[in-house]
Amino acid sequence: MVTRSITRTNLNCFLNYPTVVQWNNTIRASVNEGDPDKAFLLFRQMKQSGFEPNFLTFPFIAKACGKLSNFKLAEAIHTHVVKSPFCYDIFVQTSMVDMYSKCDQLDIAYKLFKEMPDRDAASWNVMIMGFAQMGLFDKVLILLTQMRLSGFRPDSVTVIALTQSSCNSASGLNALKAVHSFGTRIGVGNDISVSNTWISAYAKFNDLLSSEMVFKEISVGVRTVISWNSLISGYAQFERFYEAVSLYRNMCHEGRRPDLCTITSLVSSCIHPEAISEGRQIHSHGIKIGFDSSTSLTNTLISMYSKCGDMDSARYLFNTMLERTCVSWTVMINGYAEKGDLVEAFDLFSAMEEAGEKPDLVTLVSLLSACGQTGNLELGRWINRYAISNKFGNTVMVCNALIDMYAKCGSMKDARDTFKSMSERTTVSWTTMISGSALNGEFEEALDLFLQMLDSGTKPNRVTFLAVLQACTHAGFLEKGFKYFDLMEKAYKICPTLEHYSCIADLLGRKGKLREALEFIQKMPLKPDAGVWGALLGSCKIHNEIEIGEFVAQKLFELEPEAAVSYVAMANIFASKGKWDDVAKIRKMMKCNRVKKSPGKSSVQVNGATHSFTVEDRCHQEGIMIYEVLDGLALQLQEDRLGQYTEFILAHHELEK
């Protein structure tokens, strides 16, 4: 054996003229580090240096192309492959199928897949995953059958793809349970990646009991941070912060170190004022374990403090950020917008542009949402003009937000014009237009729009049917309400939620069919919540029905003992019948349960700022002037009424003569 030492000159020579293996390693590292642009630059340099890609280079660069989802680059890479000696290599061909799938060119991917002379399990999995990511569950099942008939055994990757596609299928939760059963039967149920995917999938359907069941079946020593994060994220998704925090404590007790995803999920679950204490504790713990410099976490914290009403803490975090992204500006703007402080929101919007950060679609949608909530039509129109001048005017997302804003501001003409101008309409577009028409009392038009939506081939979802049922409820269309309720279940296989049941109960009640409404609620497959019972109690108040009203009120007292609405409604029903002793009993119950009725509040917009007033409110800085004007108006109204009464008496005397 001859040993040769590498001199400094030889080493420099080796570094300056790398081998294909070294080029492949640097390209792969760039892709894995999330820098596909750098990978393409290295690929070009490799070609320019005279090195030809091999059967490993193409899969790495195909993966980079998939991350960029760039169809033109995909075609260029494919051309290189066709001209190379590796065009029939199964590894390279599989990577081409995967690349086209990730570039949303599923037809081309499937054509290449069918033309492959040889396939392995990885090839089948790549094609199945492609259809799964597009939500084509039926096609995924066909491919699975073909895969098994071809003699290939499905593995954990196959089951993960099946799980992902089941989440987008019409069968939903039932399809997921079938995939779960299949995965267990073929022996991949104990694979940690499969279990983690199942936990997340069940959580998406709000079936957190099944998520917990899968989680508990994983051995304590096998559970990873991803396992914990999947379950914590599930609870956070539905704002169940107490359970999320409890899981987090158990995770730490088990010796698992939380990562950035854990803390971010926990923070995102604390979005109500009563959760702010837990939110602050999680924030503190995040700082202790070294995540205080994370921009993404800071953005989530700003959102959390804003939603909890602590705008000072949110603004402090924003002001102290060393690096702000478009998301940072948007969450801060959205915080002020949700609070109704449009002056501060638009000041930040201007500061964002001055800082050189270009607002995106989400920024504009946040501002439009705020304009809709506060009824500020003029600012909404200004954002519309801004969106058009910045090439956002034709985007579906902005158009949907504009329709919603115009409808909430009462300008249905602008809402219709925006809707008609859209070249592409999604389910959200139709639903927003239907909901806006119903909100403005245009019930017949709302139902006509729904029929037009069905004729266009657009598939309605749960929210669409909720908007339709609300239109039927407020218009008193009893037969149509039941017709669309049945259509939702039978034709579109959409399981009604409590909100849908509440609409039908409300519709029956408004029509005076209180007994039928009660029977409908008692036969519901879901346990009625306060919203369902509250709808019926409201109808009892309209029709002064004591017997059913007392029964319903008792249910509400048990569900929400501290909510004043049910007590006040029942007291009004008793008062309408002159049962003053019963009214006194209700008031005594309120006192014992420490129930307080919040005073009514009115809001008015002046120069972009929202001013709120409650009964006998004298705290406004312009209070003295405001009440002087109000007193003057009241006096003028009394004088006008007195004048009208005098004219009426004189006219009556003239008629008698």
Side-chain angles (χ1 to χ4, degrees):
M1 176 184 284
V2 179
T3 338
R4 187 174 63 183
S5 62
I6 299 178
T7 65
R8 184 177 295 277
T9 307
N10 287 336
L11 180 61
N12 288 335
C13 226
F14 177 75
L15 292 173
N16 290 332
Y17 300 97
T19 64
V20 173
V21 174
Q22 287 175 298
W23 280 111
N24 286 346
N25 288 339
T26 52
I27 291 170
R28 179 178 59 182
S30 298
V31 176
N32 292 339
E33 289 167 7
D35 195 349
D37 290 313
K38 183 182 176 182
F40 271 100
L41 179 63
L42 287 166
F43 180 72
R44 291 191 189 98
Q45 290 174 351
M46 175 184 179
K47 294 279 289 180
Q48 289 166 2
S49 300
F51 289 92
E52 287 300 320
N54 64 12
F55 71 99
L56 290 175
T57 318
F58 287 120
F60 297 150
I61 203 66
K63 187 176 180 181
C65 189
K67 285 181 179 290
L68 290 170
S69 192
N70 190 315
F71 178 49
K72 288 185 177 180
L73 280 176
E75 287 183 312
I77 296 301
H78 193 192
T79 302
H80 278 293
V81 169
V82 171
K83 293 178 180 179
S84 77
F86 310 105
C87 60
Y88 293 110
D89 182 273
I90 190 170
F91 188 40
V92 173
Q93 285 187 314
T94 300
S95 69
M96 291 297 103
V97 173
D98 185 49
M99 175 183 70
Y100 279 117
S101 295
K102 287 185 168 61
C103 291
D104 296 328
Q105 301 295 324
L106 211 55
D107 291 341
I108 298 175
Y110 190 49
K111 184 173 181 290
L112 282 176
F113 174 76
K114 288 194 295 183
E115 292 173 353
M116 288 177 68
D118 296 304
R119 300 175 192 144
D120 58 9
S123 311
W124 285 98
N125 283 339
V126 161
M127 199 65 251
I128 288 172
M129 187 66 79
F131 282 108
Q133 288 169 347
M134 296 296 288
L136 302 172
F137 188 61
D138 293 339
K139 189 64 179 176
V140 167
L141 293 180
I142 292 169
L143 276 173
L144 175 66
T145 304
Q146 293 173 349
M147 176 185 183
R148 299 178 79 180
L149 290 173
S150 299
F152 293 99
R153 180 180 173 82
D155 57 15
S156 58
V157 178
T158 320
V159 173
I160 288 171
L162 286 167
T163 303
Q164 290 177 350
S165 65
S166 69
C167 291
N168 299 314
S169 71
S171 305
L173 186 58
N174 290 332
L176 174 58
K177 288 180 177 178
V179 171
H180 187 172
S181 176
F182 173 74
T184 304
R185 194 166 64 251
I186 65 172
V188 300
N190 293 327
D191 185 286
I192 189 64
S193 297
V194 173
S195 296
N196 292 342
T197 306
W198 285 342
I199 293 168
S200 297
Y202 278 119
K204 286 179 182 176
F205 289 107
N206 198 14
D207 187 0
L208 291 166
L209 287 176
S210 294
S211 289
E212 283 185 352
M213 180 193 72
V214 176
F215 179 80
K216 288 175 181 176
E217 287 176 354
I218 305 172
S219 303
V220 174
V222 178
R223 288 174 191 160
T224 63
V225 174
I226 296 173
S227 310
W228 286 97
N229 286 350
S230 299
L231 192 55
I232 289 170
S233 178
Y235 280 110
Q237 183 182 344
F238 294 96
E239 299 169 19
R240 293 170 61 174
F241 66 91
Y242 286 120
E243 291 96 329
V245 171
S246 177
L247 275 169
Y248 177 60
R249 292 195 181 104
N250 291 339
M251 175 185 179
C252 295
H253 181 71
E254 204 172 275
R256 289 290 176 189
R257 178 182 168 81
D259 61 9
L260 183 60
C261 181
T262 321
I263 302 297
T264 304
S265 293
L266 285 166
V267 169
S268 65
S269 71
C270 302
I271 59 170
H272 294 293
E274 62 268 21
I276 193 166
S277 177
E278 284 78 5
R280 288 196 178 106
Q281 290 177 32
I282 296 161
H283 183 184
S284 175
H285 197 198
I287 292 171
K288 287 180 181 176
I289 57 181
F291 297 134
D292 53 315
S293 60
S294 166
T295 302
S296 63
L297 177 58
T298 305
N299 292 340
T300 310
L301 284 164
I302 291 169
S303 178
M304 183 269 289
Y305 281 119
S306 299
K307 291 180 186 299
C308 290
D310 187 357
M311 293 303 298
D312 291 338
S313 295
R315 190 57 185 263
Y316 174 78
L317 283 173
F318 178 79
N319 289 342
T320 55
M321 289 182 78
L322 297 175
E323 180 185 353
R324 294 174 188 152
T325 63
C326 181
V327 176
S328 312
W329 287 95
T330 300
V331 292
M332 195 66 244
I333 288 169
N334 190 55
Y336 284 115
E338 287 184 347
K339 188 185 174 186
D341 191 347
L342 285 183
V343 172
E344 196 65 48
F346 273 87
D347 283 347
L348 264 180
F349 181 72
S350 300
M352 178 181 185
E353 288 196 299
E354 289 173 8
E357 192 68 58
K358 187 173 177 61
D360 63 3
L361 293 174
V362 181
T363 319
L364 297 180
V365 168
S366 296
L367 289 169
L368 286 169
S369 175
C371 291
Q373 290 170 17
T374 57
N376 199 316
L377 182 58
E378 290 309 310
L379 274 177
R381 283 182 172 144
W382 182 87
I383 298 168
N384 191 354
R385 292 191 294 271
Y386 178 91
I388 292 168
S389 64
N390 286 272
K391 313 300 182 187
F392 291 131
N394 293 325
T395 57
V396 174
M397 191 174 171
V398 169
C399 286
N400 292 343
L402 282 167
I403 295 168
D404 183 61
M405 181 275 295
Y406 281 129
K408 285 177 178 173
C409 289
S411 183
M412 284 305 296
K413 181 183 181 303
D414 287 319
R416 276 189 289 270
D417 289 345
T418 304
F419 181 74
K420 289 175 182 177
S421 70
M422 295 177 72
S423 56
E424 178 191 356
R425 294 169 188 158
T426 64
T427 300
V428 176
S429 311
W430 286 97
T431 302
T432 306
M433 196 64 217
I434 292 166
S435 180
S437 298
L439 179 69
N440 285 275
E442 299 177 357
F443 307 120
E444 290 282 4
E445 184 173 342
L447 299 184
D448 286 343
L449 278 165
F450 178 63
L451 296 177
Q452 290 174 34
M453 176 184 181
L454 299 185
D455 289 340
S456 73
T458 308
K459 190 176 179 180
N461 58 20
R462 285 185 176 86
V463 184
T464 314
F465 277 104
L466 184 60
V468 169
L469 290 176
Q470 286 171 344
C472 292
T473 299
H474 292 292
F477 297 151
L478 186 60
E479 290 182 7
K480 288 182 178 179
F482 273 99
K483 173 188 170 183
Y484 293 129
F485 187 81
D486 291 338
L487 184 73
M488 174 176 63
E489 286 191 279
K490 294 174 182 175
Y492 291 94
K493 310 300 180 187
I494 296 173
C495 295
T497 64
L498 286 169
E499 287 84 358
H500 297 101
Y501 285 110
S502 178
C503 283
I504 297 297
D506 193 16
L507 180 53
L508 285 165
R510 285 170 184 259
K511 298 293 283 185
K513 299 180 179 293
L514 299 171
R515 188 69 58 184
E516 291 93 328
L518 180 60
E519 290 174 1
F520 175 80
I521 292 172
Q522 290 174 329
K523 291 178 181 178
M524 280 169 47
L526 303 175
K527 185 179 179 181
D529 66 352
V532 177
W533 289 118
L536 182 52
L537 184 60
S539 298
C540 291
K541 180 183 172 184
I542 293 170
H543 297 284
N544 297 324
E545 168 58 49
I546 289 182
E547 183 184 348
I548 296 176
E550 281 189 290
F551 175 80
V552 174
Q554 190 56 48
K555 295 284 186 183
L556 285 165
F557 296 158
E558 293 170 5
L559 286 169
E560 295 183 336
E562 296 178 359
V565 178
S566 50
Y567 294 93
V568 174
M570 199 62 227
N572 288 337
I573 295 172
F574 283 134
S576 68
K577 295 290 187 179
K579 293 180 172 287
W580 302 111
D581 290 342
D582 291 317
V583 173
K585 287 179 183 177
I586 293 289
R587 287 178 178 171
K588 187 177 180 181
M589 284 176 64
M590 291 179 72
K591 192 173 181 180
C592 291
N593 292 335
R594 296 181 179 178
V595 177
K596 291 183 179 179
K597 182 181 180 297
S598 300
K601 186 170 74 170
S602 303
S603 297
V604 64
Q605 279 266 336
V606 180
N607 296 327
T610 303
H611 302 268
S612 299
F613 301 91
T614 55
V615 177
E616 296 298 324
D617 183 4
R618 306 281 175 175
C619 298
H620 195 277
Q621 58 185 6
E622 302 291 341
I624 295 173
M625 186 182 297
I626 290 168
Y627 281 97
E628 280 181 1
V629 174
L630 287 174
D631 291 341
L633 288 171
L635 185 61
Q636 185 178 337
L637 187 62
Q638 287 176 359
E639 290 173 353
D640 288 346
R641 284 178 178 170
L642 182 61
Q644 290 171 1
Y645 179 71
T646 305
E647 288 177 8
F648 172 77
I649 295 296
L650 290 172
H652 182 69
H653 281 303
E654 287 295 323
L655 284 171
E656 285 183 342
K657 290 178 182 180

